[in-house]
Every structure is written in structure tokens, then in C-alpha cells.
Amino acid sequence: MFEVISNEVLTDNVHRMVIKAPRIAKSRQAGQFVIVRSDADAERIPLTIADADVAAGTVTLIIQALGDGTRRIVGIEPPDGLKDVAGPLGLPTHIEKWGKVACVGGGVGTAVLYPLAAAAAEAGNEVTAVIGGRTEPLVILRNELAEFCDDVLVATEDGSLGTKGFVTAVLQELLDDEAKRPAAVFAVGPVGMMKAVAEQTRPYGIKTLVSLNPIMVDGTGMCGGCRVTVGGEAKFACVDGPEFDGHLVDFDELASRQATYEKHEKHEACRLAQQLNEMKRGQK
Ligand code: NAD
Ligand code: FES
């Protein structure tokens, strides 16, 4: 069992969980992930390792509770624990000293972006974080990123914080200004956002890395669930990624593969909401 040390609500359905996992804390590198099961009969959920504390032997996971598997994980409170945490999995982030780096995070994707931004700053880059969400409470990790980024710029779709619009509008301002133009860009978030960022940086020839989150099952390259096409070749995000050159990713295929189970997921979400309401009514 992997003991849950803390479980805190960051925003709407998004939790930050610190768990005891000394071996993973020691060996993990930025960009890697774990596959978690809350109980023996639960779904396997891939989660990026947002942070680690080697001395305390803990790792931090940020979890958006959407389906049954993630809801069960965020429902576990200290001192209980998670049944399985397998990892670290995936390839570590490729970091160089590029100079100016823009780290673009859309919504919950900012949780995956956080360790990449930290590694880029650690390598001596000048890091500007560009993060966004639909509205202010959905913009996560702003203060945490400010601890090591040179600047943190925010965009919200309703204009409640920072620039009104998508993160891509803020990135475009950096691209338009030669003095601020980044030499490398990391983008993590919804597929449409990562595709948009890759199209923005392509004309400038700016190195653009995206972190992909296709459906994963085993996390070991055996099941083929996480197949993506990159540069015309089939790759498995769990062993060849999760990071890839954004200019080479077939985002349309990724979006269509992700949509395969959307109907089932919506049905499951409705069923869970109904169950919760029935439980609440039973408690009254
Ligand atoms: P969201 O749909 O609310 O979008 C968050 C922000 O991303 C928006 O406010 C906007 O700034 C930007 N954005 C979204 N679509 C865009 C587009 N087409 N063009 C330009 N910018 C765009 O996101 P959310 O609900 O907070 O997060 C859920 C999404 O994030 C899911 O799609 C999930 O798959 C994805 N996600 C991806 C990763 C990853 O590793 N790539 C990790 C976690 C979540
Ligand atoms: Fe099975 Fe990647 S999750 S091949």
C-alpha cells in the first residue's frame, strides 16, 4: 500500500495528493508518470509525477476526478493508501539550455507542465509560463510556478484573470515580440490547444514539445492503447513519450482516438452523479 500523506482540493474536481513512494521519489525524472490503482478491482489511471521530495520519500500527483477510477483515487484520505503505484514510467523530458523557454499550460494540463517548467528553469533557461483556464478558479499552480519562473502570464476565457481569451493569444504576443520570442516551447493541455500552439510556432521554426495523454492501459508498450502517429510513424506514448515534437504529431488522429470512448465516459459520469445524489438523499 502507498500511504496518502495529504489530499487537498485545488479547484473544481482537481486534487493535489502527496503519497509515500520513496523508490519512485528517488528515481523519477521530470516528464515521467505513474500508473495508479486505488483498489484491486479499480481502473488503472496514468498520472504525471508533478513533484517529488526525495528526503521525505514522497511524490505529488495532481488528479482531475472525471470517471470512476479517478473519483476513487481522490476519495482516499490519510492515513489510508493506494493499492498500486507503478513507475516511474515513460521517457524523461528532453531538456537543453535553450535560453528563453515558454511553458504553455491549458487547464489541468498545467499540472503536467509544472515539472517540465521546473526542469527547464533548473537547467538555466529563462522560463515564461503561460497558463490558462475557462475562469480564474480553474487556473492552477500560478503561485507555485511563480517560485521559479521569470514570469507567469495568465489567460482566462471569461477575462476574470489576466488576458481575456485562450493561452494561444498570450503566446502569440511573445512570438510577435522579437525580444521576448522563445527559443523553445513546451505545451500541455487539451489536444486542440497543443495543435494550435504547434501551428503558431511552426513558421518560426521554434522547437515545440508537447506531452500527450492518449488512453493508456498497461503503460508498458504491450497493449497498443496509447498509439499515436508522430512523423508518420506509430509510437506508443507510454514508452516512446509522453513527450513528442509537436510539429510531427498527428493531432487529428489523436483527437479522434480520444473521442472513441467519450459517449461511454459521459454515460458513466451521469451514472456516478445519479449514485451520488441517491447516496446524499439516503443520508438526509
Ligand atoms: P479546457 O478545455 O478548459 O481548456 C483550458 C485552456 O486551454 C483554455 O482556457 C484555453 O486557454 C486553452 N485551450 C483549450 N482549447 C484550446 C484551443 N482549441 N486553442 C487554443 N487554446 C485552447 O481544459 P480543462 O477542462 O481544464 O482540461 C481538460 C483537458 O486537458 C482535457 O482535454 C484533457 O485531455 C487535457 N489534459 C491533457 C493533459 C496532457 O498531458 N496533455 C493532461 C491533463 C489534461
Ligand atoms: Fe499500452 Fe502504451 S498503454 S502500449
Side-chain angles (χ1 to χ4, degrees), residues 33 35 44 46 214-227 235-240:
F33 65 96
I35 288 197
R44 296 154 62 84
I215 293 159
M216 287 193 190
V217 183
D218 64 341
T220 62
M222 305 289 280
C223 71
C226 67
R227 181 174 59 76
K235 299 277 180 193
F236 296 126
C238 66
V239 288
D240 300 317

Side-chain angles (χ1 to χ4, degrees), residues 81-209:
L82 303 164
K83 168 86 176 121
D84 298 321
V85 180
L89 301 168
L91 298 178
T93 305
H94 171 77
I95 296 284
E96 286 179 31
K97 190 163 177 195
W98 288 289
K100 289 189 177 60
V101 175
C103 291
V104 189
V108 185
T110 305
V112 177
L113 182 79
Y114 176 81
L116 312 185
E122 173 93 15
N125 291 290
E126 189 186 313
V127 179
T128 299
V130 180
I131 57 174
R134 273 165 273 144
T135 186
E136 177 174 357
L138 300 181
V139 177
I140 60 168
L141 304 178
R142 187 158 64 112
N143 295 336
E144 290 84 344
L145 283 162
E147 282 174 21
F148 55 80
C149 288
D150 294 272
D151 206 357
V152 180
L153 307 172
V154 177
T156 50
E157 290 173 45
D158 64 359
S160 52
L161 187 68
T163 301
K164 187 169 194 273
F166 281 176
V167 281
T168 41
V170 178
L171 175 64
Q172 193 57 51
E173 286 172 17
L174 298 180
L175 296 174
D176 288 342
D177 184 341
E178 221 173 303
K180 293 185 181 166
R181 193 175 298 154
V185 171
F186 282 104
V188 192
V191 174
M193 182 214 106
M194 295 188 287
K195 180 180 177 184
V197 169
E199 287 317 315
Q200 278 179 294
T201 57
R202 195 189 296 278
Y204 299 92
I206 294 172
K207 176 96 184 157
T208 300
L209 293 162

Side-chain angles (χ1 to χ4, degrees), residues 62-83:
I62 294 179
I63 308 134
Q64 186 177 32
L66 286 176
D68 181 50
T70 43
R71 276 175 208 251
R72 284 213 223 173
I73 292 171
V74 302
I76 297 176
E77 296 288 346
D80 292 340
L82 303 164
K83 168 86 176 121

